[in-house]
């Protein structure tokens, strides 16, 4: 049996996928089940599943058209030296979504008209932030349409960066489901300059990946985000949106182990009616006594935003008791840019109230050192 890893992924089967959000929701969050049987892959709570995906076929065709290249021309890449048809390479091996300054340079080098070369040169020699912002509104296809150049198929394939695997927190328990990894996937669809854009992996997993076929290359991405070793330990989990995924695994694992430690979950989404993902499972976990407290924050159910950190602030006395007196383990998972810093500031303000400003930061630091404050944010 080969030891499967990032460089040698296992071809798993996607066996189930269904929407967790309601059709009326502003977003689409899917539950997906990946069958790992036959791989001898094992995972721990807190680990992620790494997945290699394929680009959207119509985006590949649009790029071939814009570049004026035949789909059949054989090309190779640094990682795949054996030549294969350009369409296959554009589908499976390279990132066709996000151009960088290097592509602008390539267009400039091959520019067909002096006017276009001058324009591109101006961007390249201007402030890097302006170049970055300009490129953010472009795709390879739109740039090639705007600045048509004659590129060799091999030059295009060699220029494009490798399509990176995506990571998804495993939402199942290794004790309950050792041969399957459950995932919680937020499907990315947005617009830039009124043009629709999609997330490669989230749409592949939610729509394009064939079901029940051994075609999904996966590996386990280990994490340091870990359950307390002691099953009696108290846990506080803060996981809005898809941040709840690892905590579904944590709670199911504690249920399977009959762990006696108390568990408190803060979950947030936009609208209770449409976005309360895993509601029935969470209610069951509450009824069975595994989930001691559940605090929810539905941000768009009222005129002003209510987020998980507002619920934490409102419950600050109990939070302090759990953290300080019961030596709770604190976990935060989900959005790195906005949520995680805001949650940390709320924790600091609670510690500040109890200990004064000089000691709050030190207290948080000591929680980290004891592994009692762990974050898995992206
Ligand atoms: C450890 C870890 C665990 C993770 N766990 C999960 C999980 O459990 N569930 C989950 O859904 N995701 C999770 N992610 C994120 C996941 O790996 C992917 O990054 C995510 O699904 C998007 O991938 P994609 O291929 O669909 O999108 P991509 O094709 O990679 O596109 C993403 C890019 O699109 C751009 N973008 C996105 N939205 C907008 C917007 N509104 N406006 C302009 N540009 C935008 C940004 O540049 C962004 O980087 C995790 C990430 C890490 C690192
Ligand atoms: N690049 C982007 O523009 C973009 C946009 C969205 C998500 N994402 C990423 O997509 C991934 C998954 O997102 P998701 O859809 O699962 O969840 P999410 O976007 O994190 O939303 C979950 C909940 O968190 C709320 N929220 C927003 N800002 C918050 C804050 N500062 N503090 C606490 N809660 C806050 C949201 O409210 P409201 O939506 O009502 O504000 C929503 O109720 C994350 O990695 C996230 O970073 C990226």
């Amino acid at each position: 049996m080969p030891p499967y890893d990032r460089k040698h992924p296992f071809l798993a089967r996607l066996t189930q996928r269904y929407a967790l959000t309601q059709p009326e929701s502003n977003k689409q969050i899917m539950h997906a089940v990946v069958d790992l049987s036959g791989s001898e892959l094992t995972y721990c709570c807190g680990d992620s599943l790494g997945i290699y995906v394929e680009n959207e076929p119509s985006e590949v065709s649009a790029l071939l058209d814009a570049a004026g290249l035949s789909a059949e021309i054989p090309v190779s890449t640094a990682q795949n030296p054996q030549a294969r048809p350009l369409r296959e390479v554009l589908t499976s091996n390279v990132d066709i979504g996000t151009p960088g300054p290097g592509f602008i340079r390539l267009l400039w080098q091959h520019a067909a008209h002096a006017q276009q070369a001058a324009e591109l040169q101006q961007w390249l020699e201007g402030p890097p932030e302006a170049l970055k912002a300009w490129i953010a509104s472009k795709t390879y296809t739109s740039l090639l349409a705007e600045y048509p150049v004659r590129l060799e198929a091999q030059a295009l394939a060699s220029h494009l960066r490798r399509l990176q695997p995506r990571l998804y927190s495993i939402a199942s328990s290794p004790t309950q489901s050792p041969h399957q990894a459950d995932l919680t996937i937020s499907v990315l669809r947005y617009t830039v300059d009124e043009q629709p854009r999609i997330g490669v992996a989230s749409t592949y997993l939610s729509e394009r990946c064939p079901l029940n076929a051994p075609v999904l290359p996966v590996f386990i991405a280990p994490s340091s985000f870990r359950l307390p070793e002691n099953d009696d330990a108290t846990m506080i989990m803060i996981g809005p949106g898809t941040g709840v995924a690892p905590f579904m695994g944590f709670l199911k694992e504690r249920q399977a182990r009959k762990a006696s430690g108390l568990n408190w979950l803060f979950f947030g989404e936009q609208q209770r009616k449409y976005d309360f993902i895993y509601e029935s499972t969470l209610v069951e976990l509450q009824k069975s006594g595994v989930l001691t407290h559940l605090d929810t924050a539905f941000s768009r159910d009222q005129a002003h935003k209510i987020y998980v950190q507002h619920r934490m602030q409102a419950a600050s006395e109990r939070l302090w008791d759990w953290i300080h007196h019961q030596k709770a383990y604190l976990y935060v998972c989900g959005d790195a840019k906005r949520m995680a810093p805001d949650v940390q500031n709320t924790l600091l303000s609670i510690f500040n109230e109890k200990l004064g400003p000089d000691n709050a930061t030190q207290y948080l630091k000591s929680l980290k050192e004891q592994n009692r404050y762990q974050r898995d944010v992206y």
Side-chain angles (χ1 to χ4, degrees), residues 27 29 186 188 240-243 268-271 297-300 305-309 334-340 342-343 378:
K27 45 174 53 179
I29 305 180
S186 182
L188 215 54
T242 52
E269 251 309 341
Q270 292 184 356
Q271 302 172 85
F298 291 98
S299 52
R300 304 193 188 186
K305 296 271 184 176
I306 296 181
Y307 290 152
V308 281
Q309 60 270 26
D335 174 44
K337 266 193 228 119
R338 300 154 299 161
M339 181 278 293
D342 289 354
V343 162
Y378 44 86

Side-chain angles (χ1 to χ4, degrees), residues 96-116:
I96 63 168
T98 48
F103 191 64
I104 306 301
R105 194 165 294 281
L106 192 73
L107 291 179
W108 170 65
Q109 284 160 353
H110 291 80
H113 307 290
Q115 170 64 26
Q116 294 197 327

Side-chain angles (χ1 to χ4, degrees), residues 48 166-169 184-186 188 190 199-202 242 376 378:
S48 295
R166 305 300 200 265
L167 303 188
Y168 293 93
S169 307
T184 312
I185 301 164
S186 182
L188 215 54
Y190 57 97
V200 177
S202 54
T242 52
D376 188 15
Y378 44 86

Side-chain angles (χ1 to χ4, degrees), residues 12 17 25 37 54 57 62 75 88 98 122 125 139 152 182 205 232-233 235 302 314 316 360 365 378:
R17 65 177 156 219
S25 173
S37 44
E54 292 186 357
V75 292
E88 256 182 65
T98 48
Q122 225 173 7
E125 288 174 357
T139 61
E152 294 293 327
D182 288 11
L205 294 167
D232 300 345
M235 295 201 310
Q302 58 287 308
S316 62
K365 193 168 161 235
Y378 44 86

Side-chain angles (χ1 to χ4, degrees), residues 23-163:
E24 296 89 340
S25 173
N26 296 322
K27 45 174 53 179
Q28 188 186 13
I29 305 180
M30 307 284 296
H31 184 80
V33 177
V34 178
D35 182 3
L36 302 173
S37 44
S39 67
E40 290 186 12
L41 282 172
T42 56
Y43 66 91
C44 293
C45 282
D47 287 347
S48 295
L49 192 70
I51 309 186
Y52 289 92
V53 299
E54 292 186 357
N55 288 308
E56 220 270 330
S58 68
E59 294 203 341
V60 172
S61 297
L63 178 54
L64 284 167
D65 287 349
L69 291 168
S70 154
E72 301 310 321
I73 307 173
V75 292
S76 60
T77 62
Q79 285 78 32
N80 304 83
Q82 201 174 355
R84 284 176 311 129
L86 180 59
R87 184 189 294 280
E88 256 182 65
V89 170
L90 293 184
T91 302
S92 309
N93 301 117
V94 293
D95 184 336
I96 63 168
T98 48
F103 191 64
I104 306 301
R105 194 165 294 281
L106 192 73
L107 291 179
W108 170 65
Q109 284 160 353
H110 291 80
H113 307 290
Q115 170 64 26
Q116 294 197 327
E119 255 178 64
L120 291 163
Q121 192 174 358
Q122 225 173 7
W123 282 114
L124 287 166
E125 288 174 357
E129 310 78 55
L131 175 63
K132 207 173 151 199
W134 181 64
I135 299 176
S137 67
K138 307 287 178 192
T139 61
Y140 286 106
T141 303
S142 73
L143 282 168
L144 282 165
E146 224 173 308
Y147 301 97
V149 291
R150 288 182 71 82
L151 274 185
E152 294 293 327
Q154 186 58 59
L156 178 65
S158 301
H159 170 80
L160 295 169
R161 284 163 300 198
R162 189 178 179 192
L163 185 56

